[in-house]
Amino acid sequence: MYSKTFIICLCVCVGFATETSYFEILNDVQSKISVVPKLRSARMDVSQIFTQIGEALTLETFATFLSELEAKFGSEDNITICINNLTTIFTSALSGESWSLQVLDAFGKLQSGILMLDHASPGFYDECKSIGKNSLGEIPHNVTFVSQYCTLNVMGKMGSLPLQYSYGLCIPDTCSELDLDYIVYEALKLLPLNISLTPYVLCQKNHLEFDGKAVAAMVFAGFFVLLIMISTILDILMMWMGNNSMFETKSTSANGVPHYAHKISNEETPLLGSPTTNVAEINPKPGYLMKFFLAFSVYSNGKKLLSTKKTAGTLGAVNGVRVFSMSWVILGHVFAFGLGIIGDIGYYFPLVLKRRSYQAILNAFVSVDSFFVLSGLLVAYLLLKELRRNEGKKINWIAFIAKFYFHRYWSSKWIGGIIGTTFLFGSWVATGIISNYFKLPASQLEQLADQQSMGTHYFNEYYIKPYCRIGPYLMGILFGYLLYKTDCKLKMNKVLNVFIWMVAITLGCLIVYGLYDDINGTVHLSQNVKDLYNTTHRTVWGACVGWVVFACATGNGGFINTLLSWSFFTPLARLTYFAYLVHPILIYGYYYSLRTPLYIDDLTVAVVFTALMVFTYMAAFVLSLAFEAPMLGLEKIMFNRGTPIDKINAAPKSNHNEQ
């Protein structure tokens, strides 16, 4: 039994996704998703493979395999030591020794759900790591190795059907990854399989190296923690001193010289004030060095981040759009990143494909474009507004432009219109040519015979290219200009207002839900239609989001404006930049720390999403206190805010997440 378990674990295991890049995760997910439509026809072939493996594995073949393998190498070779230790484990298990039984018990085993694409059997990680510590029996003195946890991955193809398996192994630490790769390669020759498999083994180090990069990171983090602590203490002390000054102004003499009296705190306080005391000496204005330290104060920065106050002229709806868009991004990533470790993907994914409601998750890619719209809108609106406010005044244009390009960039109505229109049409032409040349799908979830079209070409040639994604940003600039021209005041006919709202909602729903039949394979769009969708849908989405902000800002938003302008969204909107940066780390950290595959359903998605949303904004709050808020404070000190561009840079300060 144990010999079969060992050989099966060595030979029939597929690649658990260890890639970390966004593209590689999507590619792995697409590969698994592509299996779903072919699952029914492949089940018979998969069953035959496991039957062949079971018939081929016997104790005799396993013993012969190890002895022949050991005979190929000298007694001093590392791989020989590895083979000897593996032999020790199995012979001890056959003798009933508890420690070796625990080693084999920690191995991944064949389990239910293989035909549902449950191709990850990680075994019992904690049991493997605890052998010799809290095990059923101590390791004998003649055994010189300790256990290490490894993952055996095998990737292959059965016709056009990709096969991917992953099994956990509890292996002596005398076995290197190269040793195990060779053993697996030789073991595959024992199996009567008509498919090609590519195996590889990844082992976790028992002790991580504390290298120079780790030391530098710790020093950097420690420096910031110390700086923040000192700054916060100074801030609190200055506030306390200001609230508890010993002197207060009493009166002014005839010659204009102020007299001061001591605050009477107890019976021993002198009744006569000192005429030489100056208020400036009591509460001195902080100098540049003190301002530098105060910029890192948790107390002051925390009050600013959590404040719900809105200044006059604030586009309140922007906060709601930003928070909802960020939530949509996190929801899409919670679902997408989890597909690589879901144990019941063969059951759950076909189920959700049939539900139109899930298109909002499956086609959540446009949520990122909402941030491009907000970025362009705020830059255009605030820049034009500040230029009008300073019309006729002398402006130091060198300083103005330098500060502007330090933080944001853009400039004349006609020139800007010509440039914007040229960029928009150029983007459409370029996107259409790219989509047609590479035969790109309209969605990354489309079931394709050619996976290359979705993978390398879709992501590298289209998805991440700025000239294919500039449309929403240009729409933002357009609506920012309209807000400036109308001064956020536009009385619109109710019928026309409702009509535009209906058009915007309809177009938005078509973009998100319109690919339902294409994704499910019930309708096959022509390549020209796919090209049209890829060319225009992001720009149209940008126009829809731009209209929402414009309508709400000009008093034509109704209850939608009330919702989006809710003060609760104000502090959350300030945190979206770091929320965007930190949420993938938290999602990866949760998913890849799981000891077993994740079996998912609607409730699980809801719970995981809610928890990760909370932790994301908690982490974003801490990081904003430590980095973003202090940097904005230092920028204010450096540039002595007061020029027109300062207010432009200040207003959308958490707006960089659109990048």
Side-chain angles (χ1 to χ4, degrees), residues 319-456:
N319 293 331
V321 173
R322 185 180 289 135
V323 173
F324 279 121
S325 297
M326 189 68 255
S327 303
W328 196 7
V329 170
I330 295 176
L331 176 60
H333 286 169
V334 164
F335 186 82
F337 296 169
L339 290 179
I341 61 167
I342 290 178
D344 58 341
I345 186 174
Y347 166 77
Y348 185 71
F349 193 79
L351 185 66
V352 300
L353 278 180
K354 301 299 181 182
R355 295 159 57 179
R356 287 190 181 272
S357 59
Y358 254 77
Q359 294 301 303
I361 299 178
L362 301 178
N363 199 22
F365 305 104
V366 293
S367 59
V368 178
D369 295 289
S370 299
F371 289 106
F372 295 147
V373 178
L374 297 182
S375 181
L377 184 146
L378 289 170
V379 167
Y381 171 66
L382 294 173
L383 173 61
L384 293 172
K385 188 176 179 181
E386 286 301 319
L387 286 175
R388 181 176 64 182
R389 182 177 300 170
N390 289 272
E391 187 176 359
K393 297 181 182 179
K394 185 176 180 181
I395 297 178
N396 186 343
W397 285 102
I398 297 179
F400 181 89
I401 295 174
K403 293 178 184 180
F404 181 66
Y405 279 95
F406 178 81
H407 203 93
R408 283 285 195 274
Y409 70 92
W410 201 253
S411 234
S412 155
K413 175 174 65 176
W414 296 110
I415 296 178
I418 294 173
I419 294 176
T421 303
T422 302
F423 280 0
L424 181 60
F425 279 101
S427 172
W428 286 351
V429 171
T431 304
I433 293 174
I434 291 172
S435 178
N436 185 267
Y437 180 80
F438 292 108
K439 306 301 179 186
L440 298 182
S443 170
Q444 296 189 64
L445 301 178
E446 183 179 339
Q447 306 301 330
L448 300 174
D450 180 13
Q451 296 299 317
Q452 187 72 7
S453 295
M454 192 295 304
T456 304

Side-chain angles (χ1 to χ4, degrees), residues 608-627:
V608 172
F609 165 67
T610 303
L612 286 171
M613 272 284 291
V614 172
F615 283 111
T616 291
Y617 275 97
M618 289 173 61
F621 178 71
V622 173
L623 291 173
S624 293
L625 284 178
F627 298 103

Side-chain angles (χ1 to χ4, degrees), residues 185-205:
Y185 177 78
E186 292 296 321
L188 285 174
K189 297 179 180 178
L190 299 176
L191 303 178
L193 301 178
N194 297 324
I195 59 175
S196 60
L197 299 174
T198 304
Y200 63 96
V201 177
L202 297 174
C203 294
Q204 291 189 1
K205 296 181 179 179

Side-chain angles (χ1 to χ4, degrees), residues 5 19 167 179 234 317 359 383 431 450 527 563 575 618:
T5 299
E19 300 86 352
Y167 278 77
D179 295 337
L234 287 175
Q359 294 301 303
L383 173 61
T431 304
D450 180 13
Q527 188 58 47
L563 173 63
L575 301 175
M618 289 173 61

Side-chain angles (χ1 to χ4, degrees), residues 317-330 360 363-379 408 463 469-477 479 508 511-512 537-550 564 576 580 654-659:
V318 169
N319 293 331
V321 173
R322 185 180 289 135
V323 173
F324 279 121
S325 297
M326 189 68 255
S327 303
W328 196 7
V329 170
I330 295 176
N363 199 22
F365 305 104
V366 293
S367 59
V368 178
D369 295 289
S370 299
F371 289 106
F372 295 147
V373 178
L374 297 182
S375 181
L377 184 146
L378 289 170
V379 167
R408 283 285 195 274
Y463 188 82
R469 304 292 297 271
I470 195 175
Y473 190 83
L474 295 175
M475 289 296 102
I477 291 177
F479 279 97
I511 292 170
V512 176
H537 82 279
R538 298 187 188 280
T539 303
V540 174
W541 178 261
C544 295
V545 175
W547 162 254
V548 171
V549 177
F550 176 81
L564 296 179
T576 51
Y580 189 85
S654 60
N655 220 42
H656 345 30
N657 53 345
E658 305 89 287
Q659 309 299 326

